[in-house]
Amino acid sequence: MTGLGAVFRPQLPPERLRAVARLADVTGLEELWLWEDCFREGGISTAAAALAWTERVRIGVGLLPVALRNVAITAMEAASLERMFPGRAILTLGHGVQDWMGQVGARAASPLTLLGEQLDALRALLRGERLSVSGRYVQLDDVGLDWPPEQPVDVLAGATGPRTLRLAGAKADGTLLTAATSPDGVREARRIIDEGRREAGRTEPHKVVVYLLAATGADAAARLRAELAAEGLESVPDLGAAGDAGAVAKAVQRMAEAGADTVVLQPTGDEPDPEGFVRFVAEEVRPLVS
């Protein structure tokens, strides 16, 4: 079955998260995703709070910009979340928006090298290994976690361009695609990811998660068009879904047929009822998605 989730967008103040997370939990939504967008809300802090407020919903963070983080800290946080809330946290590493990285003096000369080094180190630390690494960006001297996870933890990579998609296939356990990805884009991403997996000799399953911009209600089509235009995506075909549950479910199904394992519905930035959107996804769209 295709996984389904929804996004709590950081345009909302953090004090709104509790109600949205609890609603996602009680309505049976599989996943609620949070963003670490500069300069809004921290990914790990909001994920920890959402996990503590809920019992079963999985909480995804998409994504943690590697330029902002020492990989040892990320490993400590990821391991802590996994041990406190087993199997419920989903962490994604990515380049982050390069302009934002520049604003805080953290822009890397080679974002691809940085991401690859952090993926390798983070996955090894979460496996309980002790590392001494002297990379271009990652420097570790006999580092290991005192409290590693008791079970394997998947680490996803956020990717758009072909080089990062290939890297995700080689070094990550899954890939997160943005809402600028059409069904044809999902197919192409899958192809490139699989190239990276083959080159690295990896044969285990690789989960592909894609955001799908969605709007419902009387002004759904207008809000969707406005958001796509604001992102410069109005001319890209087959992006987003607007309308009732049937229309949105069909868009989800197209993503699944293109190769997405999980589709995360992303409300528009001006969504007037975030709680209502989560209820719509869980109670109206979910039953229509096979």
Side-chain angles (χ1 to χ4, degrees), residues 1 6 15 36 52 97 121 151 184 192 204 209 233 245 250 256 274 290:
M1 178 181 287
E15 58 267 25
E36 186 167 80
V97 176
Q151 60 187 19
D184 283 345
I192 298 171
E204 68 274 31
V209 181
L233 300 170
K250 287 179 181 177
S290 62

Side-chain angles (χ1 to χ4, degrees), residues 39-274:
F39 298 95
R40 294 185 171 117
E41 294 156 13
I44 297 296
S45 56
T46 50
L51 288 162
W53 288 326
T54 57
E55 297 294 332
R56 44 148 303 278
V57 64
R58 299 189 76 197
I59 303 296
V61 181
L63 47 74
L64 300 172
V66 290
L68 297 181
R69 294 177 167 274
N70 185 291
V71 69
I73 297 297
T74 303
M76 291 160 59
E77 292 175 327
S80 295
L81 290 180
E82 175 58 32
R83 291 182 69 106
M84 290 188 291
F85 310 101
R88 292 182 55 213
I90 311 167
L91 298 186
T92 309
L93 303 188
H95 299 310
V97 176
Q98 293 306 294
D99 286 348
W100 290 341
M101 300 305 101
Q103 280 183 271
V104 297
R107 189 166 189 162
S110 178
L112 195 70
T113 301
L114 171 58
L115 179 58
E117 289 184 0
Q118 286 227 8
L119 284 168
D120 284 344
L122 179 60
R123 293 178 67 242
L125 289 168
L126 293 176
R127 290 193 298 265
E129 298 178 18
R130 297 195 70 84
L131 295 184
S132 291
V133 177
S134 182
R136 181 174 178 181
Y137 296 103
V138 173
Q139 306 283 329
L140 299 173
D141 181 10
D142 192 30
V143 174
L145 297 175
D146 284 4
W147 295 103
E150 295 183 330
Q151 60 187 19
V153 177
D154 288 343
V155 178
L156 279 61
T160 53
R163 292 199 302 162
T164 309
L165 288 166
R166 192 169 286 107
L167 180 82
K171 294 182 178 292
D173 302 302
T175 302
L176 175 64
L177 305 175
T178 73
T181 311
S182 67
D184 283 345
V186 173
R187 291 187 184 91
E188 179 65 5
R190 266 286 188 193
R191 183 187 69 78
I192 298 171
I193 290 165
D194 286 343
E195 286 180 358
R197 294 176 67 219
R198 285 193 298 271
E199 291 167 2
R202 300 190 66 178
T203 58
E204 68 274 31
H206 186 101
K207 182 178 181 179
V208 171
V209 181
V210 60
Y211 290 137
L212 174 64
L213 189 63
T216 190
D219 59 347
R223 286 193 290 112
L224 180 66
R225 284 195 302 271
E227 179 112 349
L228 291 172
E231 297 294 329
L233 300 170
E234 65 270 29
S235 62
V236 180
D238 297 326
L239 285 188
D244 62 11
V248 175
K250 287 179 181 177
V252 171
Q253 199 66 38
R254 288 194 292 271
M255 289 295 196
E257 291 167 357
D261 297 296
T262 297
V263 180
V264 182
L265 296 179
Q266 174 181 318
T268 58
D270 60 353
E271 167 59 52
D273 183 6

